[in-house]
Amino acid sequence: MSNTRRNFLKAAGALTSLGLFGLGYKGTLKGIASGWWNGQQPADKIYGNALQPEWRVDRVTGEVTPNPDQYVANSVCVGCVSLCGVRVRVDKKRGKVLRVAGNPYHALASDPHLPYTTSIKDSFKALSRFQESGLKGRATACGRGNAVLAKLDDPHRVLVPLKRVGPRNSGKWEPIDFETLVKEVVEGGNLFGEGEVEGLRSIRDLETPIDPAQPELGPKANQFAIVGGFKEGRLPLLARFGKTSFGSINFTGHRGNCGLSMRAGYAAFLGDWKKYPHLKPDFKNARYILNIGTAPANAGNPFMRQGRLVAEGRASGRLKVVVVDPVLTNSDSKAAGDRTEWIPVKPGTDGALVMAMIRWIFDSRRYNKKFLEVPGPAAAKKAGEPSWSNGCHLVVVEEGHPLFGAMLRGSHLGLPVGKNDKDPFMVIDAGTGELRPHTQAMAGELFYQGKVSISGQDVQVKSSLQLLREEAEKMSLAEYSKECGVSESTIVKLASEFTRYGRQAVADCHGGTMHTNGFYTAYAVTMLNGLVGNLNWKGGASAGGGRYPDFGRGPRYNFKKFPGKVKPKGVPVSRKFAYEKTSEFKRKKAAGKPYPADGPWYPFSAAIQSEYIPSALNGYPYPLKALLLWNTNPLYGQAGLYTQAKKQLADPKKLPLIISIDPFINETTAFADYIVPDTVLYETWGSAWPWASHLTKINSFRWPVVEPPVAKTAEQVPICMESFIIAVAKRMGLPGFGDRAIPDAEGNIHPLNTPDDFFLRVFANVAFAGKPVPDSEQEDLTLTGVDRHLPRLKAVLKAEEWPKVAYAMARGGRFQSISKAYEGQWLARRYSKPVQIYNEQAGRARNSLSGEYYSGVPTWQPPVLADGTPFEKVYDRRSWPFQVVCTKSQLQSSHTIGEARLTQIHPSNGIIMHPEDADRLKIKTGDRIRVTSPAGSVEGVADVRNGIQQGVLGIEHGFGHWALGAASVTIGSKRQPGDPALGAGVAHNLLGLDDPTRRGISTLADVVIGSNARQSIVARVERI
């Protein structure tokens, strides 16, 4: 027996006896076998074969000695949507990333983060043992952030452009050169021997209507749609191409399949349906955080930062965290004692729980009267409030009146309104009892109902807060308790605790609201913040610290305006449009029956990704001719879509041209006609910003830290999303690209021919905003690898610009000092619009299928179908006794699956069951079980545990792939076999439902805003 084999068996035997390693650790065991005990000499007597450190710091003097063979680049992790700052160690000789850790300048990686003017060498010292500073200023990346770098060298990466051979989804491709790719997608032709395919040039018709009988749909150019990924710093350039250069109205990111219901609830509460802002707690000073359908340190965004701050708050005794969720998550910790609590709830009934809390708050008069009676900005200033609400504003509630659901305004009562003045809202003055404009009253009556005269007619009106109270009073606490499965005493305890902490209590929600009543659930959760008046307060709710100007009009370049810019027009294919303004409505109204529409319309929703593919295949409101996908996977990520759409999506007659820009062949990319390779992670350009939780300005820069392995264009630019759309735009002669594309502040026009033409100028805007950043030092550029880009920096930017841009690149972006977070007891960056106790846009809109008005205040609505049909009327509980929910992992995600380091720790997921449910069905942990919904079934391993609500099945998201390397593909003459490990586990979205009240292809959706309902899927279980 060889020494290698003998020592391997010794290692395996020893580790097996400890019971520590499973099959996932076979690579680790193999590494252990080739060590010092096998006679091999390690590189270092103390550190073995560990990587050489990137620098050394003298513990006594603090002198820093960098490793000349490495540089440490500050960049951004794209392992999840949090976009944390990272420092990337690179081997100079091999051009390979060695390891990833946190960026000490970045607020999402370090708390407190380093002062921005700290030199790079001093940042190394700050992370060292010198004066123990490394403990105080630790800068970290999470487990996923450390492991995801393996994507750079993933054997399943697409490195050259591909064209399908044979039918869609057959797994057969042929390489195609870049120039031919661009020519074929632009010009079209008989591309696959299946008949003529219209190219993008022909589709871009900005004049001819799609349907002359329905002119509101817009021009034929709208039959080209772009579906992108999340906002990770590159999306604005793609939006520029699709919307203002090509001229299509159809552009969307990942909203609709992620957390749109949450975002819509906040949009209603904050009164901004355009930007969809949202709130997060001030984690450093909050004393009570109520999480509903989200869990710090397990999900949410940015989950690493909020997890760290929650842990610090609980450990100090300052903070209590409550998580309401059907599944026990890592956010509950016995080590935190009574500073943490998990409350299980029936899936899809969170709204009942919160409306019960709101009822108790009203009944007990625990609302913040001082805040809620402030009617406007003048009154807020006098009262010392950093925000105000429309709680005392009057709403027209006279049924049948043309103004039903509208806020009562001065013009309705005949008050003069100047040409440049805003029409004031009307309130009942709390002091005089008289009607007054909200701009003049200092306090409004909160609970008012009565009549006012409008054009000589007495019309019923009520205050916004009165409407909310009436909505909450529709059910008793006992009835709400029965709906949600949470005891009355627990509901009272939650409401009492929440209001006791006042402005330092914050309620938050996220993906757990993605069910058919998710919008009103999220609106109700946010309303708890309104009732205690915590917005803009230290320890309260924050809309985030914002960012420096970047992609818009900046101090150096204007990206909002360029020669020939197109303003897209028409109706998005997702039907983000008022049905009552359509030709269909007018036609049906003339026939005497305006409702139902042929499908649901979503007048105040965002561009809903979850409706794009179904709408295109249904041809309602119109079909698409071409679809461009970028780094997105809706067939995997959208519950129910794969089952519903796979047959029609494979038919080119239904959707003639599909182009996917993606580094991998995922479940959706498999249906593409062409695949364009893309750069990943630290190979890319980008300018990103955090979603929330930061209280000061943050702009995160990403630039190519290493050279990407993808093929290059004739100009030697890596083939990626940016180079592809630039080439297409230039071939088509689109505005905003080519030699005359980017205006500067003096009116000069600069080119956009390469990705860095765009992003370096974006960086310049950030670097010069307000007080410009300092000029860079050569040492900083050498230590971080920015010096590799100096030739392009000097070629693209002006002489006064590139040293400041290089300074910001070396630090991974621009970060405002944490000292700017607060102004006394207020947040320094405050949300300026009023809190909407009643949202007029929601209250004035109707369900396009039933014709019923939506509620303008939060309400408890049991799960329903699109036309309002109760869910249980179609799917009775006796036939479908379980509800499936998806959960999140701190390690794995849908696109990091298969990375070796993560797979060793977490190779698969199980199907979580409550012990009583398992006992009844004679199921034990480890048994193979089948979960069946009305639309599909999956098989997996039972995971029986107490941490789940009875009657619920929990499935962790990210597993169960049938592509993304799990399936074999053929590229040219080479067959690349699939890796079964990449397909391990269960994909919960295969259980997703359609909506039987809708025509054609559909997936179950929120009834108001159309987001995909991936939670609360009814099912049954059997042991295999």
Side-chain angles (χ1 to χ4, degrees), residues 589-643:
K589 184 178 180 181
K593 192 177 180 181
Y595 301 96
D598 288 346
W601 292 71
Y602 305 105
F604 47 86
S605 187
I608 317 163
Q609 185 189 99
S610 48
E611 287 292 326
Y612 268 57
I613 290 177
S615 298
L617 298 178
N618 291 334
Y620 180 74
Y622 51 85
L624 294 178
K625 293 182 177 180
L627 175 65
L628 175 64
L629 302 156
W630 173 65
N631 279 356
T632 188
N633 191 4
L635 289 188
Y636 176 87
Q638 181 173 336
L641 183 60
Y642 179 75
T643 305

Side-chain angles (χ1 to χ4, degrees), residues 40-69:
Q40 297 180 6
Q41 292 296 320
D44 189 281
K45 292 182 179 180
I46 298 176
Y47 303 110
N49 292 321
L51 295 173
Q52 288 295 309
E54 56 267 55
W55 64 79
R56 297 179 187 274
V57 178
D58 189 289
R59 278 185 276 175
V60 178
T61 66
E63 182 181 356
V64 178
T65 305
N67 185 335
D69 297 323

Side-chain angles (χ1 to χ4, degrees), residues 604-687:
F604 47 86
S605 187
I608 317 163
Q609 185 189 99
S610 48
E611 287 292 326
Y612 268 57
I613 290 177
S615 298
L617 298 178
N618 291 334
Y620 180 74
Y622 51 85
L624 294 178
K625 293 182 177 180
L627 175 65
L628 175 64
L629 302 156
W630 173 65
N631 279 356
T632 188
N633 191 4
L635 289 188
Y636 176 87
Q638 181 173 336
L641 183 60
Y642 179 75
T643 305
Q644 290 289 310
K646 60 183 178 180
K647 184 177 180 180
Q648 291 199 40
L649 201 59
D651 183 359
K653 294 178 182 177
K654 287 288 185 179
L655 209 172
L657 181 61
I658 303 176
I659 307 158
S660 179
I661 307 172
D662 204 289
F664 302 95
I665 302 177
N666 63 37
E667 285 77 7
T668 307
T669 303
F671 284 84
D673 300 309
Y674 297 93
I675 301 177
V676 183
D678 199 14
T679 48
V680 299
L681 294 168
Y682 316 116
E683 303 164 354
T684 64
W685 292 95
S687 180

Side-chain angles (χ1 to χ4, degrees), residues 787-818:
D787 58 350
R788 297 167 48 249
H789 294 278
L790 279 180
R792 284 299 295 165
L793 279 160
K794 294 178 180 180
V796 172
L797 300 173
K798 300 172 185 176
E800 70 273 20
E801 291 175 344
W802 74 259
K804 298 185 184 301
V805 169
Y807 185 94
M809 288 173 64
R811 285 152 181 78
R814 187 173 181 184
F815 315 105
Q816 190 179 32
S817 170
I818 192 64

Side-chain angles (χ1 to χ4, degrees), residues 204-220:
R204 188 182 183 259
D205 183 340
L206 299 174
E207 303 298 330
T208 307
I210 294 172
D211 183 353
Q214 302 182 84
E216 72 277 5
L217 299 182
K220 289 185 174 181

Side-chain angles (χ1 to χ4, degrees), residues 723-740:
S723 58
F724 173 71
I725 62 173
I726 289 170
V728 169
K730 290 174 68 174
R731 184 177 180 96
M732 294 179 65
L734 298 183
F737 292 85
D739 293 334
R740 291 182 52 79

